[in-house]
Amino acid sequence: MAKDLPKVVEILADVLQNNILSESEIERQRDVILREMEEIEFSVQDVVFDHLHRMAYQGTPLGNTVIGPSANAKNLSRKDLMEYINLHYKAPRMVLAAAGGVNHNELADLAKQHFSSISYQYEGDVVPVLAPCRFTGSEIRVRDDAMPFAHIAIAVEGASWTNPDLIPLMVANSLIGSLDRTYGGGKNVSSRLARISRENKLCESFQTFNTCYSDTGLFGIHFVTDAFNIEDMLHFAQGEWMRLCTSVTESEVNRAKNVLKTSLVEQLNGTTPLCEDIGRQLLQYGRRIHLEEWIAQIDAVDARRVREVCTKYIYDKCPAVAAVGPVEQLPDYNRTRSAMYWLRF
């Protein structure tokens, strides 16, 4: 309730600044984390994307898994947690966001009251900065013929959050679309790749992704198929990439823009996703970008812009590939790389 805002902010500030981190609580949470790590190992999609990051950003911080190795969870101590808190819990790295029945001035006053003691200075004036991330076209295969389906992810280096090419890539992503055989619609779907996949029974599902970070990103496709359709599905997926670079039409782009705008509206349906969006944008852009501004940027994209940006990021670029399951039919990396351009005479 709106009337409980002062109490909620007080509790949040107390948890953040006065957590005693008792040994018993650490041990309890350690068991929870280890169980979560076991569950993630059973999620093949999560495993594939971990492998994809490990190969695409090998030798850089983004190559590490988000949850980390189990040895870290087993050996983490109260001292480690306190060092992390003292190093990273600084005012410039924090955002207090709220949505719904909230008065901005009241929230600002509560923030001053409860969070003003958080330091903005770093020990020795040394601000922790992550090393820049470098994309590397490469491949990893984890073959397991006992699995019923192969999970394949292929990606090229995409745009960062603040890159002006982000919006055209988002439109291109929406143009390729997604597919799940459990959904309705049959062959009557707007995505060309989805129609080809349904008509030829090439995969169980596929989804495009456009994962963004502060200085880089991953633009790609993840699909699930049986052991005998990997090569065909990869061929058509890469063919769609080439079509984005060379011959995508205005009508296709207009449809993709409408899909993207609808998706953005759906993502902000409710106070919880709205609050998360506010906090995320303040950390990424330093300001809140309202829905109207996003829509205006999307409307400004045309087919020529999509072709230019896709050519910049996709055409004749080395992809990163991760494959798990019965992946014997996955083409050699050199063949996959050669499908990243067309020879025309």
Side-chain angles (χ1 to χ4, degrees):
M1 301 294 289
K3 63 182 178 62
D4 297 321
L5 179 64
K7 192 64 177 177
V8 170
V9 175
E10 180 184 356
I11 294 173
L12 182 62
D14 183 55
V15 170
L16 186 67
Q17 301 174 79
N18 303 315
N19 197 324
I20 60 174
L21 298 175
S22 65
E23 292 294 341
S24 60
E25 182 63 24
I26 291 174
E27 290 302 321
R28 185 158 53 248
Q29 294 304 318
R30 191 195 311 278
D31 293 337
V32 172
I33 293 172
L34 290 172
R35 284 197 299 271
E36 290 177 351
M37 296 177 77
E38 291 178 359
E39 292 173 1
I40 289 176
E41 288 298 321
F42 289 104
S43 173
V44 183
Q45 181 172 329
D46 290 337
V47 172
V48 168
F49 276 95
D50 275 348
H51 285 312
L52 183 67
H53 280 76
R54 185 156 63 90
M55 300 311 296
Y57 297 111
Q58 51 191 280
T60 72
L62 278 178
N64 301 323
T65 64
V66 174
I67 201 166
S70 58
N72 286 1
K74 293 176 180 177
N75 299 322
L76 198 65
S77 66
R78 186 179 187 277
K79 179 184 176 183
D80 297 325
L81 294 174
M82 292 304 300
E83 288 179 354
Y84 181 88
I85 290 172
N86 293 332
L87 181 62
H88 295 287
Y89 280 28
K90 304 296 182 182
R93 301 171 66 94
M94 294 185 181
V95 171
L96 177 63
V102 178
N103 181 278
H104 175 76
N105 292 330
E106 181 185 7
L107 182 65
D109 291 338
L110 289 169
K112 292 178 182 178
Q113 177 183 347
H114 295 290
F115 292 97
S116 58
S117 61
I118 296 179
S119 173
Y120 60 89
Q121 294 179 329
Y122 293 88
E123 186 175 347
D125 288 333
V126 178
V127 179
V129 178
L130 290 175
C133 291
R134 174 195 67 255
F135 180 90
T136 302
S138 51
E139 176 191 85
I140 182 172
R141 305 176 184 221
V142 182
R143 182 175 173 182
D144 184 353
D145 292 340
M147 293 176 61
F149 298 108
H151 292 248
I152 316 291
I154 178 172
V156 292
E157 184 174 19
S160 66
W161 280 113
T162 55
N163 193 311
D165 295 332
L166 174 62
I167 300 299
L169 285 177
M170 292 171 66
V171 173
N173 221 26
S174 297
L175 195 151
I176 295 178
S178 61
L179 170 72
D180 193 310
R181 291 186 64 182
T182 61
Y183 295 166
K187 303 174 185 178
N188 302 310
V189 289
S190 56
S191 164
R192 183 173 180 271
L193 182 59
R195 288 199 305 273
I196 293 172
S197 301
R198 291 299 291 264
E199 289 172 357
N200 298 282
K201 300 179 180 179
L202 295 181
C203 69
E204 297 296 310
S205 65
F206 78 81
Q207 62 178 14
T208 55
F209 57 89
N210 188 27
T211 307
C212 299
Y213 300 103
S214 61
D215 58 348
T216 184
L218 285 178
F219 178 90
I221 300 175
H222 167 260
F223 61 89
V224 181
T225 185
D226 60 50
F228 306 105
N229 284 303
I230 297 173
E231 187 173 5
D232 287 341
M233 184 61 197
L234 184 61
H235 166 77
F236 284 110
Q238 290 186 276
E240 280 299 288
W241 277 0
M242 295 301 98
R243 207 170 64 82
L244 287 176
C245 300
T246 58
S247 56
V248 66
T249 65
E250 288 291 349
S251 61
E252 289 177 308
V253 170
N254 289 334
R255 175 189 61 79
K257 291 193 293 186
N258 289 334
V259 171
L260 178 57
K261 287 185 284 188
T262 302
S263 175
L264 288 177
V265 173
E266 290 177 345
Q267 291 174 14
L268 300 179
N269 184 22
T271 54
T272 299
L274 186 60
C275 184
E276 293 175 353
D277 185 65
I278 293 171
R280 182 169 54 252
Q281 289 194 21
L282 285 172
L283 289 173
Q284 292 163 352
Y285 305 110
R287 67 185 183 95
R288 174 82 198 288
I289 301 178
H290 291 278
L291 184 61
E292 293 79 5
E293 185 175 347
W294 282 117
I295 292 177
Q297 292 184 44
I298 294 170
D299 287 335
V301 176
D302 57 13
R304 180 187 60 81
R305 176 67 173 152
V306 171
R307 289 193 295 267
E308 288 178 353
V309 172
C310 288
T311 298
K312 176 181 177 181
Y313 287 90
I314 301 174
Y315 199 85
D316 201 17
K317 303 297 181 183
C318 295
V321 182
V324 175
V327 296
E328 181 182 10
Q329 199 191 67
L330 182 68
D332 178 79
Y333 182 81
N334 291 318
R335 279 192 57 197
T336 302
R337 175 63 179 87
S338 68
M340 297 299 292
Y341 61 88
W342 280 349
L343 294 177
R344 294 186 165 187
F345 300 93

